PDB file of all heavy atoms in Angstrom:
ATOM      1  N   GLY A  58      -1.216   7.398  24.222  1.00  0.00           N
ATOM      2  CA  GLY A  58      -0.416   8.435  23.580  1.00  0.00           C
ATOM      3  C   GLY A  58      -0.050   8.059  22.156  1.00  0.00           C
ATOM      4  O   GLY A  58      -0.122   8.885  21.241  1.00  0.00           O
ATOM      5  N   ARG A  59       0.313   6.804  21.942  1.00  0.00           N
ATOM      6  CA  ARG A  59       0.678   6.362  20.592  1.00  0.00           C
ATOM      7  C   ARG A  59      -0.530   6.323  19.663  1.00  0.00           C
ATOM      8  O   ARG A  59      -0.399   6.576  18.468  1.00  0.00           O
ATOM      9  CB  ARG A  59       1.361   5.006  20.660  1.00  0.00           C
ATOM     10  CG  ARG A  59       2.750   5.149  21.278  1.00  0.00           C
ATOM     11  CD  ARG A  59       3.521   3.880  21.312  1.00  0.00           C
ATOM     12  NE  ARG A  59       4.849   4.155  21.867  1.00  0.00           N
ATOM     13  CZ  ARG A  59       5.661   3.240  22.336  1.00  0.00           C
ATOM     14  NH1 ARG A  59       5.303   1.965  22.319  1.00  0.00           N
ATOM     15  NH2 ARG A  59       6.835   3.584  22.821  1.00  0.00           N
ATOM     16  N   GLU A  60      -1.706   6.025  20.197  1.00  0.00           N
ATOM     17  CA  GLU A  60      -2.917   6.048  19.368  1.00  0.00           C
ATOM     18  C   GLU A  60      -3.203   7.469  18.865  1.00  0.00           C
ATOM     19  O   GLU A  60      -3.598   7.650  17.716  1.00  0.00           O
ATOM     20  CB  GLU A  60      -4.113   5.500  20.145  1.00  0.00           C
ATOM     21  CG  GLU A  60      -4.088   3.990  20.291  1.00  0.00           C
ATOM     22  CD  GLU A  60      -5.192   3.458  21.181  1.00  0.00           C
ATOM     23  OE1 GLU A  60      -6.027   4.246  21.683  1.00  0.00           O
ATOM     24  OE2 GLU A  60      -5.221   2.230  21.389  1.00  0.00           O
ATOM     25  N   VAL A  61      -2.989   8.458  19.716  1.00  0.00           N
ATOM     26  CA  VAL A  61      -3.188   9.847  19.300  1.00  0.00           C
ATOM     27  C   VAL A  61      -2.192  10.211  18.204  1.00  0.00           C
ATOM     28  O   VAL A  61      -2.558  10.794  17.173  1.00  0.00           O
ATOM     29  CB  VAL A  61      -3.058  10.806  20.504  1.00  0.00           C
ATOM     30  CG1 VAL A  61      -3.016  12.254  20.057  1.00  0.00           C
ATOM     31  CG2 VAL A  61      -4.194  10.578  21.482  1.00  0.00           C
ATOM     32  N   ALA A  62      -0.925   9.861  18.395  1.00  0.00           N
ATOM     33  CA  ALA A  62       0.112  10.175  17.394  1.00  0.00           C
ATOM     34  C   ALA A  62      -0.176   9.445  16.086  1.00  0.00           C
ATOM     35  O   ALA A  62      -0.087  10.037  15.002  1.00  0.00           O
ATOM     36  CB  ALA A  62       1.485   9.794  17.933  1.00  0.00           C
ATOM     37  N   ASP A  63      -0.528   8.168  16.168  1.00  0.00           N
ATOM     38  CA  ASP A  63      -0.818   7.399  14.961  1.00  0.00           C
ATOM     39  C   ASP A  63      -2.035   7.967  14.231  1.00  0.00           C
ATOM     40  O   ASP A  63      -2.063   8.024  12.998  1.00  0.00           O
ATOM     41  CB  ASP A  63      -1.061   5.924  15.297  1.00  0.00           C
ATOM     42  CG  ASP A  63       0.204   5.218  15.762  1.00  0.00           C
ATOM     43  OD1 ASP A  63       1.299   5.788  15.623  1.00  0.00           O
ATOM     44  OD2 ASP A  63       0.077   4.087  16.282  1.00  0.00           O
ATOM     45  N   GLY A  64      -3.037   8.405  14.971  1.00  0.00           N
ATOM     46  CA  GLY A  64      -4.227   9.004  14.360  1.00  0.00           C
ATOM     47  C   GLY A  64      -3.891  10.271  13.597  1.00  0.00           C
ATOM     48  O   GLY A  64      -4.412  10.507  12.504  1.00  0.00           O
ATOM     49  N   ALA A  65      -3.011  11.082  14.154  1.00  0.00           N
ATOM     50  CA  ALA A  65      -2.606  12.313  13.466  1.00  0.00           C
ATOM     51  C   ALA A  65      -1.864  11.991  12.165  1.00  0.00           C
ATOM     52  O   ALA A  65      -2.085  12.633  11.131  1.00  0.00           O
ATOM     53  CB  ALA A  65      -1.727  13.161  14.387  1.00  0.00           C
ATOM     54  N   VAL A  66      -1.005  10.985  12.213  1.00  0.00           N
ATOM     55  CA  VAL A  66      -0.264  10.608  11.009  1.00  0.00           C
ATOM     56  C   VAL A  66      -1.206  10.019   9.962  1.00  0.00           C
ATOM     57  O   VAL A  66      -1.096  10.330   8.778  1.00  0.00           O
ATOM     58  CB  VAL A  66       0.868   9.617  11.360  1.00  0.00           C
ATOM     59  CG1 VAL A  66       1.505   9.042  10.105  1.00  0.00           C
ATOM     60  CG2 VAL A  66       1.915  10.300  12.222  1.00  0.00           C
ATOM     61  N   VAL A  67      -2.152   9.204  10.388  1.00  0.00           N
ATOM     62  CA  VAL A  67      -3.117   8.625   9.448  1.00  0.00           C
ATOM     63  C   VAL A  67      -3.930   9.739   8.792  1.00  0.00           C
ATOM     64  O   VAL A  67      -4.146   9.728   7.573  1.00  0.00           O
ATOM     65  CB  VAL A  67      -4.037   7.608  10.153  1.00  0.00           C
ATOM     66  CG1 VAL A  67      -5.228   7.245   9.292  1.00  0.00           C
ATOM     67  CG2 VAL A  67      -3.264   6.360  10.526  1.00  0.00           C
ATOM     68  N   SER A  68      -4.345  10.712   9.563  1.00  0.00           N
ATOM     69  CA  SER A  68      -5.104  11.836   9.001  1.00  0.00           C
ATOM     70  C   SER A  68      -4.280  12.615   7.984  1.00  0.00           C
ATOM     71  O   SER A  68      -4.783  12.978   6.914  1.00  0.00           O
ATOM     72  CB  SER A  68      -5.566  12.778  10.103  1.00  0.00           C
ATOM     73  OG  SER A  68      -6.479  12.137  10.943  1.00  0.00           O
ATOM     74  N   ALA A  69      -3.021  12.873   8.309  1.00  0.00           N
ATOM     75  CA  ALA A  69      -2.152  13.611   7.391  1.00  0.00           C
ATOM     76  C   ALA A  69      -1.889  12.801   6.121  1.00  0.00           C
ATOM     77  O   ALA A  69      -1.917  13.353   5.009  1.00  0.00           O
ATOM     78  CB  ALA A  69      -0.830  13.954   8.077  1.00  0.00           C
ATOM     79  N   LEU A  70      -1.663  11.499   6.257  1.00  0.00           N
ATOM     80  CA  LEU A  70      -1.432  10.648   5.091  1.00  0.00           C
ATOM     81  C   LEU A  70      -2.680  10.589   4.217  1.00  0.00           C
ATOM     82  O   LEU A  70      -2.600  10.696   2.991  1.00  0.00           O
ATOM     83  CB  LEU A  70      -1.024   9.238   5.519  1.00  0.00           C
ATOM     84  CG  LEU A  70      -0.838   8.232   4.387  1.00  0.00           C
ATOM     85  CD1 LEU A  70       0.285   8.662   3.453  1.00  0.00           C
ATOM     86  CD2 LEU A  70      -0.564   6.853   4.950  1.00  0.00           C
ATOM     87  N   PHE A  71      -3.841  10.470   4.838  1.00  0.00           N
ATOM     88  CA  PHE A  71      -5.094  10.434   4.087  1.00  0.00           C
ATOM     89  C   PHE A  71      -5.302  11.741   3.325  1.00  0.00           C
ATOM     90  O   PHE A  71      -5.699  11.744   2.163  1.00  0.00           O
ATOM     91  CB  PHE A  71      -6.272  10.156   5.018  1.00  0.00           C
ATOM     92  CG  PHE A  71      -7.568  10.008   4.291  1.00  0.00           C
ATOM     93  CD1 PHE A  71      -7.863   8.845   3.599  1.00  0.00           C
ATOM     94  CD2 PHE A  71      -8.487  11.036   4.275  1.00  0.00           C
ATOM     95  CE1 PHE A  71      -9.054   8.707   2.914  1.00  0.00           C
ATOM     96  CE2 PHE A  71      -9.679  10.917   3.591  1.00  0.00           C
ATOM     97  CZ  PHE A  71      -9.965   9.746   2.902  1.00  0.00           C
ATOM     98  N   ALA A  72      -5.016  12.853   3.977  1.00  0.00           N
ATOM     99  CA  ALA A  72      -5.164  14.156   3.321  1.00  0.00           C
ATOM    100  C   ALA A  72      -4.216  14.267   2.128  1.00  0.00           C
ATOM    101  O   ALA A  72      -4.590  14.770   1.071  1.00  0.00           O
ATOM    102  CB  ALA A  72      -4.909  15.290   4.313  1.00  0.00           C
ATOM    103  N   ARG A  73      -2.987  13.785   2.269  1.00  0.00           N
ATOM    104  CA  ARG A  73      -2.038  13.817   1.151  1.00  0.00           C
ATOM    105  C   ARG A  73      -2.497  12.899   0.032  1.00  0.00           C
ATOM    106  O   ARG A  73      -2.361  13.217  -1.145  1.00  0.00           O
ATOM    107  CB  ARG A  73      -0.644  13.377   1.613  1.00  0.00           C
ATOM    108  CG  ARG A  73       0.119  14.360   2.443  1.00  0.00           C
ATOM    109  CD  ARG A  73       0.533  15.589   1.677  1.00  0.00           C
ATOM    110  NE  ARG A  73       1.307  15.300   0.500  1.00  0.00           N
ATOM    111  CZ  ARG A  73       2.592  15.510   0.368  1.00  0.00           C
ATOM    112  NH1 ARG A  73       3.276  16.030   1.358  1.00  0.00           N
ATOM    113  NH2 ARG A  73       3.216  15.226  -0.761  1.00  0.00           N
ATOM    114  N   ALA A  74      -3.031  11.728   0.388  1.00  0.00           N
ATOM    115  CA  ALA A  74      -3.442  10.748  -0.622  1.00  0.00           C
ATOM    116  C   ALA A  74      -4.663  11.209  -1.404  1.00  0.00           C
ATOM    117  O   ALA A  74      -4.814  10.867  -2.575  1.00  0.00           O
ATOM    118  CB  ALA A  74      -3.705   9.397   0.031  1.00  0.00           C
TER     119      ALA A  74
END
Side-chain angles (χ1 to χ4, degrees):
R59 289 183 177 163
E60 285 174 2
V61 170
D63 291 348
V66 171
V67 167
S68 295
L70 176 62
F71 184 76
R73 286 292 304 253

